[in-house]
Amino acid sequence: MYNVKIETFEGPFDLLFHLIEKNEIDIKDIPIASVFEQYMEYLNAMQEMDLDIATEFILMAATLLEIKSSMLLPKAQPEGKQLELDDVDPREILVERLIEYKKYKVIANKLKTSNVYGLRFFKEEPEIKYIDKSLLLNYSADDLKKAYIKILKRSNSDVIPIKYAKDQFTVEDKIKEFLKNLIVTPIMKFSDFVFNRHKVEKVVSFMALLELIKLNKVVAEQKKIFGDIIIKKLKR
Amino acid sequence: MDIDYIIESILFAAGRPVKINTLSNVLNVSADDVKESFYRLKDSYVSNNRGIDVVMIDDSLAMCSNEKYAEYIKKALGLDIKQGLSQAALEVLSIIAYNQPITRIDIEKIRGVKCEKAINTLLEFNLIKENGRVNAPGRAILYSTTDDFLKYFNLPSLKDLPPLDDVI
Amino acid sequence: MDIDYIIESILFAAGRPVKINTLSNVLNVSADDVKESFYRLKDSYVSNNRGIDVVMIDDSLAMCSNEKYAEYIKKALGLDIKQGLSQAALEVLSIIAYNQPITRIDIEKIRGVKCEKAINTLLEFNLIKENGRVNAPGRAILYSTTDDFLKYFNLPSLKDLPPLDDVI
């Protein structure tokens, strides 16, 4: 079996370039048939490796195939007319785009070497003693909104800030509450304890319960999955 | 000497005091070595009338500008700097305003970039304050806006922040 | 020389690029004098492996740290910076740099492949920005490079990008 080393390609142009360089092909005279064959080998290998093949790769395969077939067709040469001029090489558009793309690929490599992001540090704010606090009023509440919306639009939508329960319910507090309640009602249902409480409070209560079990202060029993939890105070 | 200039670069980039301990750990030298570097740097800055200076505050070192040139600095910054908060600071402030209380990590997740300096500036302006800690491992600091924030932005209360519903 | 160190102090205190014109006004010297100061400062920083450096960006001067010490700075400040941009991001950035302002669709035409992710990364790094919309149906967003792009790619201005036609 033909063994193709799979690298990741930044799209069909990137793959085509790889093939052109590998075969030391003159970009202006691409042997479409053989390049098409190799291109398909890569695509098949990518498929076998379960790599997602983007539609762009398939589209390019279709383009190559189209060029290949149009090159096989005998050209209808009108009698006596000396070809050229209107006789466009079907590869021309592809080559133009490839050359255009290659320019940016070369530039990208140049940028890569001159990139000092993460190496060179600038300060982002003026020295504090030179910040004039009176200048602040230049912004309105509306500027705040605009700034925030701008951020939301450019950030990934899956980033949602967690609303923190700011130490509102703590395990420690809940343990105390449990112990206090258990003095009055030594056997109680968990559902009664958290009845009508905030979701976070329920979670914290459950954690407090686990802690109490660990501390051997209570035993808890649940007859069936999702059933209620019966809490019994342990006598010392 | 190399270590002097590494310290110089760290103090510059920090833009705030850096603990001598931190420097000694990072450079793998003793705290005394760091202090010696500090004195050497300070000496060369002062004796040459350099534009920058270093100071020791408690157990930290910080870079600052030379007081001698304060008049020039004020003039230049007055002319050049767009007034008020930087865009970065404004963005961080807006995130805090709409999501308080919130941790630095979460702010950075939303903004996609570090924002320690902006937070320091906002604290300095008293537009935000530390407001407790997350009740979870790490106990990260939570930030909220202050009363001064409401005053500056002419808001009777946080409920009067421009609503976002119509845009998202 | 005094003027060199006054400029040093201003660049330090500003915490952002300062226009050469501003410096020349404040110091009451010509813009060329300011530039000469800049080169003298840069020379002394670089030749001595100093922790700080100065760069010229778009008719402004800015102070920055010496790249050599980046690892120490990151450690000391607890920064966790992904240094490299992906090949995709660099390609998209190059295309934007030479064709700004440009829409996503047009970038994709040149690259032959989708580039939404790369664009988001570049926006996050503040290397590109949204710069208006196409005045046509669809009103696609136009992207341009930022000052940070110049800052972090060692370019005094966009004019200093290598000429595109010579690259192949």
Side-chain angles (χ1 to χ4, degrees):
Chain A
M1 198 191 121
Y2 194 87
N3 197 3
V4 183
K5 186 170 166 277
I6 293 296
E7 300 161 43
T8 46
F9 294 100
E10 293 293 339
F13 285 150
D14 204 27
L15 173 50
L16 275 182
F17 257 111
H18 172 76
L19 296 176
I20 287 168
E21 270 162 27
K22 200 177 88 181
N23 297 308
E24 292 173 13
I25 291 169
D26 174 7
I27 195 169
K28 300 248 165 75
D29 188 22
I30 301 172
I32 290 290
S34 95
V35 165
F36 173 68
E37 215 171 274
Q38 293 183 45
Y39 185 92
M40 290 312 291
E41 269 167 23
Y42 270 90
L43 247 53
N44 288 334
M46 281 157 91
Q47 209 166 23
E48 268 168 36
M49 292 179 66
D50 264 344
L51 294 176
D52 245 352
I53 299 177
T55 43
E56 293 90 358
F57 281 96
I58 307 200
L59 250 169
M60 178 59 75
T63 307
L64 291 174
L65 192 60
E66 194 189 339
I67 296 172
K68 185 181 149 193
S69 48
S70 73
M71 286 177 79
L72 288 174
L73 287 175
K75 293 217 171 59
Q77 287 295 345
E79 218 36 55
K81 198 186 169 199
Q82 285 293 327
L83 54 126
E84 282 5 273
L85 286 182
D86 59 335
D87 186 23
V88 181
D89 187 328
R91 297 173 294 185
E92 197 176 299
I93 294 172
L94 179 66
V95 169
E96 261 175 31
R97 291 188 65 189
L98 271 172
I99 289 174
E100 173 83 351
Y101 169 70
K102 176 151 194 204
K103 284 181 188 169
Y104 295 106
K105 208 171 145 61
V106 173
I107 293 285
N109 280 329
K110 285 193 183 188
L111 285 184
K112 195 176 186 175
T113 54
S114 63
N115 181 9
V116 287
Y117 194 93
L119 295 177
R120 179 182 282 177
F121 296 93
F122 294 84
K123 284 203 305 165
E124 283 167 19
E125 305 285 342
E127 201 175 355
I128 280 166
K129 64 183 171 195
Y130 292 106
I131 299 178
D132 184 348
K133 299 190 184 188
S134 64
L135 297 174
L136 235 129
L137 285 163
N138 278 308
Y139 292 113
S140 68
D142 229 39
D143 291 323
L144 271 183
K145 174 181 164 178
K146 278 183 204 147
Y148 186 57
I149 286 166
K150 220 176 106 193
I151 299 161
L152 288 185
K153 283 192 176 153
R154 73 164 188 244
S155 77
N156 303 327
S157 50
D158 57 350
V159 178
I160 300 159
I162 301 161
K163 284 282 179 190
Y164 291 105
K166 181 175 64 76
D167 282 356
Q168 209 176 348
F169 311 108
T170 65
V171 175
E172 290 90 338
D173 287 350
K174 283 292 157 197
I175 287 177
K176 280 183 204 151
E177 199 181 326
F178 262 121
L179 292 174
K180 220 170 92 190
N181 287 11
L182 284 164
I183 294 170
V184 188
T185 43
I187 298 174
M188 66 175 173
K189 290 182 188 165
F190 184 72
S191 62
D192 287 342
F193 187 78
V194 296
F195 181 71
N196 245 345
R197 303 295 179 97
H198 188 275
K199 201 203 280 176
V200 177
E201 197 174 354
K202 286 180 184 167
V203 173
V204 174
S205 300
F206 185 69
M207 284 159 64
L209 175 59
L210 293 177
E211 195 62 29
L212 283 169
I213 296 168
K214 208 178 90 189
L215 293 171
N216 263 332
K217 300 273 191 194
V218 301
V219 285
E221 201 179 355
Q222 189 179 32
K223 294 267 198 239
K224 58 175 196 245
I225 295 176
F226 300 125
D228 208 339
I229 302 168
I230 310 294
I231 305 161
K232 287 182 202 162
K233 189 178 179 220
L234 277 182
K235 292 202 176 83
R236 283 258 139 180
Chain B
M1 219 157 297
D2 238 1
I3 155 171
D4 295 6
Y5 293 153
I6 298 177
I7 291 176
E8 182 179 54
S9 76
I10 293 172
L11 295 183
F12 167 77
R16 62 185 160 83
V18 180
K19 288 221 166 4
I20 292 174
N21 272 342
T22 305
L23 294 169
S24 107
N25 284 337
V26 167
L27 295 166
N28 210 6
V29 298
S30 72
D32 280 340
D33 288 339
V34 174
K35 280 182 199 166
E36 269 172 40
S37 270
F38 164 76
Y39 289 117
R40 271 196 304 271
L41 279 173
K42 186 158 190 79
D43 235 39
S44 84
Y45 292 151
V46 173
S47 63
N48 293 305
N49 277 319
R50 295 291 301 253
I52 49 175
D53 192 5
V54 275
V55 288
M56 198 186 294
I57 310 160
D58 297 329
D59 301 326
S60 301
L61 304 181
M63 187 176 278
C64 58
S65 59
N66 186 336
E67 281 294 338
K68 272 191 190 165
Y69 305 131
E71 281 316 304
Y72 292 103
I73 296 172
K74 271 185 211 157
K75 245 181 166 176
L77 302 206
L79 284 173
D80 205 74
I81 286 190
K82 274 171 256 135
Q83 303 189 316
L85 296 173
S86 67
Q87 186 61 27
L90 183 69
E91 286 186 15
V92 171
L93 184 58
S94 75
I95 293 172
I96 296 173
Y98 283 100
N99 298 286
Q100 51 191 304
I102 185 170
T103 64
R104 181 168 59 78
I105 301 292
D106 270 0
I107 299 169
E108 288 172 355
K109 264 192 211 147
I110 297 174
R111 259 193 93 218
V113 283
K114 295 271 170 208
C115 60
E116 203 171 347
K117 282 172 197 167
I119 286 180
N120 283 338
T121 306
L122 294 170
L123 286 169
E124 186 67 24
F125 273 117
N126 198 29
L127 289 169
I128 61 167
K129 62 182 177 199
E130 296 186 3
N131 191 3
R133 285 169 180 271
V134 175
N135 188 19
R139 298 191 59 74
I141 297 169
L142 289 161
Y143 295 99
S144 296
T145 55
T146 60
D147 287 346
D148 272 5
F149 164 79
L150 296 175
K151 262 190 248 157
Y152 276 125
F153 286 93
N154 228 335
L155 294 164
S157 80
L158 281 176
K159 283 185 220 106
D160 299 288
L161 274 169
L164 298 167
D165 321 330
D166 47 329
V167 281
I168 316 178
Chain C
M1 220 161 294
D2 237 0
I3 157 173
D4 295 6
Y5 293 152
I6 299 177
I7 291 176
E8 183 180 54
S9 74
I10 294 172
L11 295 184
F12 171 79
R16 62 186 91 190
V18 180
K19 288 211 163 37
I20 291 174
N21 272 342
T22 304
L23 293 169
S24 108
N25 283 336
V26 168
L27 296 167
N28 210 5
V29 298
S30 73
D32 279 341
D33 288 339
V34 173
K35 280 183 199 166
E36 270 173 39
S37 269
F38 163 77
Y39 288 117
R40 270 196 305 270
L41 279 173
K42 188 164 188 74
D43 239 39
S44 83
Y45 292 150
V46 172
S47 63
N48 292 304
N49 278 318
R50 295 291 300 256
I52 50 176
D53 192 4
V54 276
V55 289
M56 200 184 291
I57 304 154
D58 248 353
D59 299 325
S60 298
L61 304 182
M63 190 176 276
C64 59
S65 69
N66 186 335
E67 289 119 74
K68 275 192 188 159
Y69 305 132
E71 284 315 310
Y72 294 103
I73 294 174
K74 281 192 237 179
K75 249 200 209 157
L77 305 187
L79 299 173
D80 173 29
I81 296 175
K82 290 163 270 161
Q83 220 189 82
L85 290 167
S86 67
Q87 183 66 23
L90 283 166
E91 285 182 21
V92 170
L93 186 58
S94 320
I95 293 170
I96 295 174
Y98 285 90
N99 299 284
Q100 52 190 304
I102 185 172
T103 64
R104 181 167 57 78
I105 301 292
D106 280 347
I107 299 168
E108 289 173 354
K109 264 188 209 150
I110 296 176
R111 282 192 73 226
V113 70
K114 299 251 176 251
C115 62
E116 205 169 347
K117 219 176 118 192
I119 286 180
N120 283 337
T121 308
L122 294 169
L123 285 171
E124 254 181 45
F125 279 44
N126 198 30
L127 293 170
I128 61 168
K129 62 183 176 200
E130 296 185 4
N131 193 2
R133 284 169 182 270
V134 175
N135 194 13
R139 297 188 56 72
I141 297 168
L142 290 161
Y143 296 99
S144 297
T145 56
T146 61
D147 281 350
D148 272 6
F149 165 69
L150 300 176
K151 268 170 149 181
Y152 291 116
F153 285 88
N154 247 329
L155 293 162
S157 78
L158 283 176
K159 280 177 234 129
D160 297 283
L161 279 166
L164 192 55
D165 292 321
D166 302 353
V167 294
I168 310 189

